Structures are given as C-alpha cells and as structure tokens.
Amino acid sequence: MMIIPKAFFITAAVAILIFSMTGTSYQQVQLLFDDSEEEAAVEEEEEAAVEEEEEAAVEEEEEAAVEEEEACIEYETEENTIAINCDASFLDVVQTINDPNILENVGEGEYILNANLEVADGVTFAMTSNEDGLQYLKIAGINGIIVEGRIEISGIIITSWDTETDSPVSQTETGSVPRAFVNLRASEGGYVEDSEVAYLGYDASARRGIDLGRSTEGPSHDFAIRNSKIHSNWMGFYSAGAYNITIDGNEFYGNIKYAIDPHTGTHNMTVSNNKVYDNKGIAVICSLDCYDVIFERNEVYNNAGSGLMFSRATHDSTIRNNLIYNQYESAYPISISESQNNEIYGNDISNSTGGISVHNPLESDLDEDGMSTDNRIYNNTFDDVQNAIRVLASSDNTFSNNKFDNVTEFHYIMSYDASMDIENQNFDMANVRGFSGANTLSIRDSGTITIDNIIDHDTDIEPYTQVLSSQSININSAGE
C-alpha cells in the first residue's frame, strides 16, 4: 500500500476543489501535484542531511573522548615531563610510559624517574605500595614531582638519585647542590603516609624538599603527613599561605635548613606527636604572619637550632605539652620572637642550656613584625637547665605557675630594657638577673615573698616591682 504524505494529500484535495469550482484544466492540476512531490522530496533530503550532521557530531564527540582518554598520561618531550591529566595511579604511568630512559623499572618495585612527574589541576594521582606495587621511587637529575591537583602517597620511599654512584644525592650546608624535589604549591590536598621521603631539595624556590609554598594559582591546602620518616632534606617541610595542614606521628631528622617550616601566612595547622631530632637547623618554626597554629605532644631533642619557635608576627597560636631536651647553647627549647598573643604551656624542658626565650630584635632593628607581647607562658616544667626563662627587649608578657626542679644558674633573665610580669607563682630560691638596660620585674597574686632574705612583700595586696640593671636578686615564697 502506498502511503501518501500529509502535505501531498492536502495539496491534492485543494487542487480538486479548485478544479471543480473554477474549471481549472487537468494539466493545471497536474502541475500542482508535481510541485507538491518536489517539495516533499526536498523536505526528505533536508531531514536526511540533519540526521547525517547529528551522526557526524556524535562520532566527533566519541573520537574526542577517545583522544582525551589517550592523553590521560603523556610524555612531553620539550619539558621532559610526564603529564597526568586525569585521575590515575603510578601503575597507569608504568603501563603508559614504555621508555626506560624516562621511567626505568629496576625490579622489586623500584623505579628510576628521569623526568618530571606533573599532576594537573583537578586531578588525583596515587602512588602506593598496595595498589601499584611501587616500593621505591628514585628521582634522578633536577627532576621532581609537581602537583596542582591532589597527591596520595602511601607505603613507599622517595629520594633523589645519582645514577653514577647508585645512591641518593648528598647536600651541602648551604643547599648548593641541585637535586630532586616535591613541589606541592597550589596543590588541592592529599597526604603522605607510612612513607619515607629523603635526600630531596636544595636552596631554590619551590624545590626545598616537600614544598607547599605560595604560587600564583593560590595556596596549598588540606594536606597531611602521617607516620612517615622525613630526613636528610634541605627542608623537611616548607609552606607559605597553606591551610588545613596536619603533620602527625612522624620522624623528622637529619634535615639541613629546617625540619618543619610553615611560613608566611600558614594557618589552621597542627604539628603533633612527632619526633624531631638531630636536625642541623631549627627543628620546628612558624614564621611571618602565621596564626591558628598548634605544636603539641612532640618530642624534640638534639637539634642545632631552636626546638619549637614562633617568629615574626606569628599570633593566636599554641605550643603545649611537648617534651624537649638536649638543646644546647643558643638552641633554645622554645623561642618566641616578634610574636603576639600566643600560649605556651604544659611543656617539659630538660637537659638544656636554656628553657624558654621571649625576645625581640633591638629597637634599632624593629620592623613591621612588631614586639613580642601578650604572650602567656604557664605550667611549664624546667629540669636540669642552666637558665630557665629569658626575656630580651620584650614586654607585657605573663609568666605564671611554672615549675623549676633543677636550675643551675638563673630562673629568670631580663635584658635590653625588658619587662617581666609574674603571677600566681611559688618561688623556691629563684634567682632573677637583670643584665644591660633598665629591666622591670613585676610580681603579683603570688602571696608573700621574701627578697634576698630581707624584704617581705605581700603581692596579693600590691604587686612587687623592681628595676634590675646588671644585678641579681633571690626570691622565696613565705614559708619556703
């Protein structure tokens, strides 16, 4: 049965009606039928063309998707970089890069990387022993892991590598030897866990070691290092502007410049339950506008620089419940410099030259970082230290309820026109020394005290105040 198109049927009916009413000839009606058939054919051709265009578009999208999938991992020759452009694992890289000059499998889960490994924005890249079979990534030359997306490192070892000596690359005390690095600037989270990261970094921006420094793409955030060994790096950890950072349960040792150095606006960070020892510089420092930072329950010892330090306008942060010992000479266990409104409490300090230092540069060297003021130092214990608490060129800081078990020289030292506010304190033969400048000692809410076994003063009624310059006094609480 022939199916008559709707448009054709209507045209025919109209033509017959016109023919019957007007006497139009058969030839004229036939012309109308011919025109209608031609229009129907044109419509069919147009519909077919649209269908072909749609099919072609679908094919192009499918081809583009295939091409995009193929480019998930690619080697960029000019940059000597393996680019990770989609969620992937190290095993995916191994299966994609078949050139041992770029990535060499040396057996037993060990690989030598002779290129950069770069993770794109919005992408998650995993390097794990369980999923990938990776045990040890040796990064040769001045290559590194560069992450703008998310990185997940678990159960592996990462070091620099010298292919000639078949060993990690050693570093000088000045960081002058270029070597492999981990650049996590602008990264979008991730972690290092149950791993070892060592012999990385040198004195160059974004290449210090595990580096979360600031970039034009924005700060790094939501990153954690847990249960890992971080050692023999130029810096074990560095950050700038980073936030939501956790460093917990690790060992940091043998690092050269600093072990842990959150810097320049780093905030909402916790450094806890770590062993930080035998580092050649400062162990843990937050410097320059850090805030909401907590150092707690760490074991810190045998470092050449300060143990725990707040510096250069670090504010509204806390150092608490840490065990710090074997810090000698100028390597103060706890140091507060040019920083404000912090709390230092519950720390156990022993077998060290000093204890806690609160200080500023001399007046001629002061800058926009401000003075060390409004810090509260309380409930700390000092045992077998030479000088327990020192204040230099600082004022308006409060010291209370600190315990001194064995102080071999001075319990308190003041210098360079410093002031010290002591409250709620029990004194047992406490030696207070004022060095250069006019240093003001104020004691309040500490009951009756005896000065040099001569003067009795009730500090609950009125604060005891004395200016000390190149002199010492001895203080006892009544009944001691």
Side-chain angles (χ1 to χ4, degrees), residues 334-391:
I334 297 177
S335 184
I336 310 299
S337 176
E338 300 175 89
S339 295
Q340 305 82 35
N341 199 38
N342 301 292
E343 290 196 329
I344 297 89
Y345 65 90
N347 301 286
D348 191 338
I349 300 170
S350 63
N351 299 312
S352 299
T353 303
I356 297 176
S357 176
V358 182
H359 58 271
N360 295 293
L362 299 182
E363 187 173 347
S364 59
D365 297 324
L366 287 176
D367 54 27
E368 66 276 6
D369 297 329
M371 303 281 285
S372 286
T373 59
D374 297 317
N375 297 291
R376 295 167 297 285
I377 298 91
Y378 59 96
N379 293 351
N380 301 286
T381 299
F382 304 87
D383 185 15
D384 195 16
V385 299
Q386 182 177 327
N387 299 300
I389 295 175
R390 181 184 75 166
V391 293

Side-chain angles (χ1 to χ4, degrees), residues 412-472:
Y412 302 93
I413 289 176
M414 297 184 292
S415 190
Y416 298 109
D417 300 319
S419 69
M420 177 179 289
D421 299 324
I422 301 175
E423 63 180 28
N424 299 316
Q425 182 64 50
N426 182 69
F427 297 94
D428 181 10
M429 299 292 290
N431 293 317
V432 184
R433 173 71 177 179
F435 284 94
S436 61
N439 306 289
T440 303
L441 171 66
S442 177
I443 303 172
R444 64 178 180 271
D445 300 326
S446 298
T448 300
I449 60 174
T450 302
I451 312 298
D452 291 334
N453 294 318
I454 300 175
I455 303 173
D456 289 334
H457 187 99
D458 190 344
T459 63
D460 293 338
I461 297 175
E462 182 182 6
Y464 173 82
T465 302
Q466 183 173 352
V467 176
L468 300 175
S469 180
S470 299
Q471 66 188 103
S472 301

Side-chain angles (χ1 to χ4, degrees), residues 112-276:
I112 297 177
L113 177 64
N114 289 288
N116 294 303
L117 191 62
E118 185 168 356
V119 181
D121 186 20
V123 167
T124 296
F125 181 63
M127 305 170 65
T128 68
S129 56
N130 291 335
E131 300 297 330
D132 302 321
L134 173 64
Q135 298 295 321
Y136 192 168
L137 181 63
K138 304 171 177 179
I139 307 176
I142 317 176
N143 298 304
I145 298 172
I146 304 166
V147 180
E148 292 187 1
R150 177 181 173 86
I151 185 74
E152 297 176 353
I153 297 172
S154 179
I156 66 173
I157 301 171
I158 301 175
T159 72
S160 61
W161 199 252
D162 186 332
T163 55
E164 293 185 1
T165 64
D166 202 30
S167 63
V169 179
S170 297
Q171 188 55 271
T172 66
E173 292 184 358
T174 60
S176 60
V177 179
R179 59 179 181 174
F181 57 91
V182 176
N183 177 5
L184 303 182
R185 297 183 171 215
S187 62
E188 299 169 339
Y191 54 80
V192 175
E193 65 179 17
D194 303 314
S195 295
E196 182 176 348
V197 180
Y199 299 99
L200 297 180
Y202 58 103
D203 189 13
S205 179
R207 299 185 174 196
R208 297 178 173 95
I210 301 177
D211 194 321
L212 279 74
R214 194 187 300 273
S215 79
T216 56
E217 303 300 322
S220 302
H221 56 88
D222 298 294
F223 187 78
I225 303 176
R226 296 189 179 95
N227 304 320
S228 297
K229 293 183 178 181
I230 314 297
H231 67 91
S232 308
N233 302 289
W234 171 243
M235 293 188 185
F237 172 91
Y238 174 85
S239 67
Y243 60 93
N244 292 345
I245 307 297
T246 299
I247 300 179
D248 182 76
N250 308 283
E251 289 187 46
F252 282 79
Y253 59 93
N255 299 288
I256 300 171
K257 182 71 172 178
Y258 301 113
I260 303 173
D261 181 23
H263 213 277
T264 319
T266 295
H267 58 283
N268 296 99
M269 177 181 189
T270 300
V271 179
S272 56
N273 302 306
N274 303 284
K275 283 189 176 182
V276 190

